[in-house]
Amino acid sequence: MTALDPSVYAKLLQTNSASLSSLLLKRGLRNTAVRGVRPLAAAEKPMIGPAVTVRYIPAREDIDGSTYSSDPSNQQRKAIDTIPEGHVLVFDCRSIAEIAGIGAVLARRLVYRGCAGLVLDGGVRDTADIAQLGLPTYCLGPAAPANLVAHHASDMNQPIACGGVAVYPDDIVFGDSEAVIIIPREYVGEIADEAVAMEEQEEFLKLEIESGKPTLGVYPPNKETLERFQAWRKARVQAV
């Protein structure tokens, strides 16, 4: 697993899921927003980090008994006990909302490991407890039944589906109050640069609309609007 460059991380902190989705769309990537997941608690900053993946398949009674949780081959526990600092743990729960993919005790282990966040297209138990841990958690909602009721962790760090989106190990996961976006690692540097520029331009375009200008020619900006933007940007830099 590869840590995210700190300069890229800093740039991504300045953007949002809507902008990232648009920038990925420009590259032909339409299916990048994990469907259905919502944050358990509001956060001051986005969740950002490389993906560590775990796949759940349907549980089978002769394998997933009460002792499986302590089995050294349990891929869920392997991922939780080995996740590198700053990474995001992503579970493929097959979009089953009524079964928990994780609970508060295991979430505490992730906090200790320095995990950047948790995403699963399934339920979470102990939601009130986890919401207070400071671990960004995106899920389909609360669910009391434990994962062994329906899930067997078949493997880790393999390509998975989460909320209908393909997630490969080391993809960059970005989550804010609106969505979780999956960014292919090969694009993240250039997208971070473009996102910073995009946010600055959109700040100006908002001011244009608030001043009474119509949307036509402003959003998207025409040549005259872009010229005003460059003048505004130059004056802003000089004022610093």
Side-chain angles (χ1 to χ4, degrees):
M1 307 304 292
T2 308
L4 183 60
D5 184 285
S7 65
V8 174
Y9 177 87
K11 292 171 185 175
L12 291 175
L13 283 176
Q14 301 175 51
T15 189
N16 57 65
S17 58
S19 295
L20 293 173
S21 177
S22 296
L23 292 170
L24 288 164
L25 180 60
K26 288 181 179 180
R27 290 162 171 81
L29 296 170
R30 299 176 178 274
N31 188 34
T32 58
V34 180
R35 292 189 281 279
V37 299
R38 294 293 180 267
L40 282 184
E44 295 180 359
K45 63 180 183 179
M47 173 192 71
I48 303 168
V52 170
T53 62
V54 173
R55 185 197 323 276
Y56 283 143
I57 64 173
R60 206 173 76 180
E61 287 75 9
D62 62 327
I63 295 175
D64 299 292
S66 59
T67 62
Y68 182 62
S69 294
S70 57
D71 190 321
S73 69
N74 186 317
Q75 298 295 303
Q76 180 216 47
R77 297 301 177 88
K78 280 187 178 181
I80 290 170
D81 277 335
T82 62
I83 187 168
E85 183 177 1
H87 286 56
V88 176
L89 184 56
V90 185
F91 284 100
D92 174 0
C93 295
R94 310 188 315 286
S95 295
I96 299 176
E98 62 270 21
I99 305 298
I102 198 169
V105 174
L106 298 183
R108 278 171 167 76
R109 177 61 175 165
L110 292 174
V111 172
Y112 178 83
R113 294 285 304 176
C115 177
L118 176 64
V119 181
L120 58 166
D121 61 346
V124 169
R125 66 196 318 200
D126 312 316
T127 51
D129 190 340
I130 293 176
Q132 296 178 13
L133 289 178
L135 174 69
T137 301
Y138 292 78
C139 64
L140 297 183
N147 70 319
L148 292 179
V149 172
H151 298 311
H152 172 85
S154 64
D155 53 52
M156 62 175 286
N157 281 335
Q158 296 294 321
I160 63 169
C162 185
V165 176
V167 185
Y168 287 76
D170 238 18
D171 280 348
I172 303 305
V173 185
F174 178 99
D176 60 15
S177 60
E178 288 189 346
V180 173
I181 303 294
I182 306 301
I183 309 170
R185 169 72 75 148
E186 64 183 293
Y187 295 128
V188 70
E190 62 190 55
I191 280 181
D193 289 335
E194 291 179 27
V196 171
M198 185 176 182
E199 295 302 330
E200 185 177 30
Q201 185 181 93
E202 289 208 350
E203 182 180 350
F204 172 75
L205 297 182
K206 290 173 185 176
L207 293 173
E208 290 276 279
I209 295 298
E210 289 170 2
S211 73
K213 291 183 175 62
T215 60
L216 189 62
V218 172
Y219 191 71
N222 59 17
K223 180 181 177 182
E224 290 75 19
T225 300
L226 289 175
E227 288 174 351
R228 291 196 301 274
F229 166 63
Q230 292 301 332
W232 172 84
R233 187 173 182 273
K234 182 178 180 180
R236 192 184 195 194
V237 171
Q238 290 174 345
V240 175

